[in-house]
Amino acid sequence: MRLALTALIATFLHVTSGLAASKPEVEAQFRAWLANDLWPEAKAQGISKAVFEQAFSGVTLNFDLPDLVMPGEKPQTPKEQRQSEFGSPGKYFNDKTVNAVTSGGAARVGQYAKILKAVESKYGVPGPIVLAIWGRESGYGSVKIPYNAFTVLGTKAFLATRKDMFRKELLAALQIVEKGYIGVASMKSSWAGALGQPQFMPTSYLEHAVDFDGDGKRDIWNSVPDTLGSIGHYLAQYGWQRGRDWGYEVSVPQNVSCSLEGPDRGKPFAAWAKLGIARVNGKPFPASETNREGFLLMPAGRHGPAFVVTKNFYVIKEYNMSDLYALFIGHVGDRIGNGAKGFSAGWGDVGGLYRSDIAGLQKVLEKKGYDAGGADGFPGFKTRRSIGDWQMKQGLPATCFPDKDLVKAIR
């Protein structure tokens, strides 16, 4: 029966596929999809009809959300990438944002000292790291989270380029209400469907949110203890190593290739030191790290600061799959926790390429036999080190970061 209903909806969509459907037509398709496609799966997962109807009562598609594909249209890779994680690296660390999250965290260290101590005791995650994430995600709860989660997730599950992922999140959101964790009216999300002050996707909420204030609810919208405890639990679940730092800013000699970076090219800290890599503050790496694995990180290649990071850096990255995000959290955590200053090395004026330019560069690199991590338009570590390897083979100085001249030269 489910297959027949799905086929009926597919036929309906196909009829209008010669021409982009009008918004009223798409709304009608959406209502049919909710009733005939989503509801049978939700019911099979234990969602009651009452919860399902309450969740979608009055819900209509939000056509203003990004990355939507109307029936009858083909997906288009955006020329530009608007998310700050993928723009110019230096802009991600602008003084206004860094200072706001730092000062906000410093002001809350004493205010929430007891809760933060309890979070660290239970999960091993230092308070400054938890605060930095809270501040980055929701401005310590001050940022408005205005959207109806079922509107956002419903729209994206029906029209987004990643329908399957958002369908899973939509079903998880229904589970949250079904289990009584929060009411439908309180299910507010970001434009991407992330929930509450820690900005958890619904599947992450089910897996990682905790009741840290003991009131019987996992309320990441209104409860500070639940928010802080849930962030700590999230990082612990992904393998946070108690007692280790996230990483250290370092100087990398010119004779050490920037193509050595990446989580799959780790070396003991002693080995990095033997190569001449040293902390910029002149202190040695902690003795406890001597034989433990560290990883070279150069998020702007030779155009910015360099780091040797621990596995905890990659645990932070599980929160948001961006090197710049994880570095921001670690760095601001240091500022909150011990008054650290800015990076020793500055950020170069790079990162102004279109996402489509970088995707084209990645395709060329992969045709030449390099593993650029796919042609997604994001200059991740595999792209950066592939650039460095190519540059060295051409007898060029390795910079390990894309720029306009490189795009022209490599083609």
Side-chain angles (χ1 to χ4, degrees):
M1 184 67 177
R2 164 84 187 278
L3 291 175
L5 291 168
T6 303
L8 180 64
I9 293 169
T11 301
F12 184 27
L13 295 176
H14 179 72
V15 169
T16 63
S17 64
L19 204 54
S22 68
K23 288 183 179 179
E25 289 173 328
V26 179
E27 285 284 2
Q29 294 169 20
F30 175 60
R31 302 313 302 185
W33 174 81
L34 285 175
N36 302 323
D37 190 340
L38 188 67
W39 163 241
E41 185 172 0
K43 181 180 180 181
Q45 291 189 12
I47 305 300
S48 67
K49 187 69 171 177
V51 164
F52 190 87
E53 290 182 347
Q54 186 183 12
F56 293 105
S57 176
V59 167
T60 58
L61 293 169
N62 183 344
F63 294 102
D64 294 328
L65 296 175
D67 301 321
L68 304 184
V69 182
M70 295 286 281
E73 295 181 349
K74 292 182 179 180
Q76 298 291 326
T77 300
K79 184 177 182 181
E80 297 185 65
Q81 174 51 257
R82 298 184 184 279
Q83 286 176 266
S84 56
E85 286 90 338
F86 306 109
S88 175
K91 290 181 180 179
Y92 196 84
F93 294 90
N94 67 82
D95 287 342
K96 182 178 179 181
T97 304
V98 170
N99 291 339
V101 180
T102 299
S103 61
R108 288 165 174 81
V109 168
Q111 183 180 2
Y112 298 114
K114 185 176 179 180
I115 299 169
L116 292 167
K117 185 177 180 181
V119 170
E120 182 165 4
S121 176
K122 187 166 186 177
Y123 301 120
V125 184
I129 294 292
V130 174
L131 286 170
I133 291 175
W134 184 25
R136 180 68 194 186
E137 293 298 330
S138 65
Y140 301 102
S142 68
V143 173
K144 291 183 179 179
I145 304 170
Y147 295 102
N148 178 319
F150 293 103
T151 296
V152 171
L153 296 169
T155 299
K156 286 182 170 284
F158 187 64
L159 291 177
T161 52
R162 294 181 291 168
K163 291 183 179 67
D164 290 345
M165 186 273 278
F166 282 106
R167 183 188 185 101
K168 182 180 179 181
E169 296 297 344
L170 179 56
L171 289 165
L174 288 166
Q175 290 284 356
I176 290 170
V177 177
E178 183 68 39
K179 293 177 184 293
Y181 295 138
I182 201 80
V184 167
S186 299
M187 282 284 283
K188 299 297 183 180
S189 79
S190 71
W191 61 265
L195 307 174
Q197 296 185 45
Q199 285 291 274
F200 281 176
M201 293 302 288
T203 53
S204 289
Y205 175 95
L206 290 174
E207 294 174 14
H208 307 299
V210 295
D211 171 21
F212 211 71
D213 59 13
D215 69 352
K217 300 178 181 179
R218 294 194 271 174
D219 186 0
I220 61 172
W221 291 266
N222 305 297
S223 168
V224 170
D226 288 3
T227 294
L228 300 180
S230 296
I231 293 170
H233 185 236
Y234 185 105
L235 297 179
Q237 292 286 88
Y238 276 102
W240 184 273
Q241 296 179 337
R242 188 184 293 262
R244 292 191 85 183
D245 209 332
W246 65 270
Y248 311 89
E249 187 182 356
V250 298
S251 59
V252 180
Q254 288 298 321
N255 65 345
V256 176
S257 175
C258 49
S259 66
L260 291 176
E261 85 158 309
D264 54 351
R265 294 187 178 177
K267 301 177 186 292
F269 272 81
W272 291 118
K274 193 172 182 179
L275 289 174
I277 293 176
R279 295 177 67 179
V280 295
N281 63 9
K283 296 179 181 179
F285 293 117
S288 60
E289 295 288 3
T290 299
N291 297 315
R292 302 182 83 171
E293 199 171 31
F295 311 88
L296 184 62
L297 172 74
M298 301 181 73
R302 287 284 181 182
H303 300 289
F307 310 85
V308 175
V309 300
T310 71
K311 288 188 176 180
N312 282 343
F313 174 87
Y314 292 103
V315 172
I316 298 172
K317 192 175 173 180
E318 291 289 346
Y319 210 99
N320 181 322
M321 292 304 291
S322 160
D323 287 336
L324 296 180
Y325 176 89
L327 181 58
F328 182 98
I329 297 304
H331 177 61
V332 171
D334 286 348
R335 286 184 171 221
I336 294 170
N338 53 43
K341 304 301 181 184
F343 299 122
S344 174
W347 298 95
D349 186 20
V350 290
L353 293 173
Y354 287 124
R355 178 176 168 182
S356 54
D357 290 332
I358 296 173
L361 174 64
Q362 291 166 326
K363 289 177 183 177
V364 174
L365 284 167
E366 298 209 325
K367 284 181 180 178
K368 293 179 181 293
Y370 296 93
D371 178 8
D376 57 6
F378 304 145
F381 73 89
K382 288 186 177 181
T383 298
R384 297 195 296 265
R385 70 190 188 192
S386 293
I387 289 170
D389 286 337
W390 179 85
Q391 288 171 320
M392 287 188 292
K393 286 185 179 179
Q394 307 307 307
L396 300 169
T399 63
C400 297
F401 203 80
D403 58 38
K404 291 180 180 178
D405 290 338
L406 178 67
V407 170
K408 293 177 182 177
I410 203 167
R411 287 180 176 175

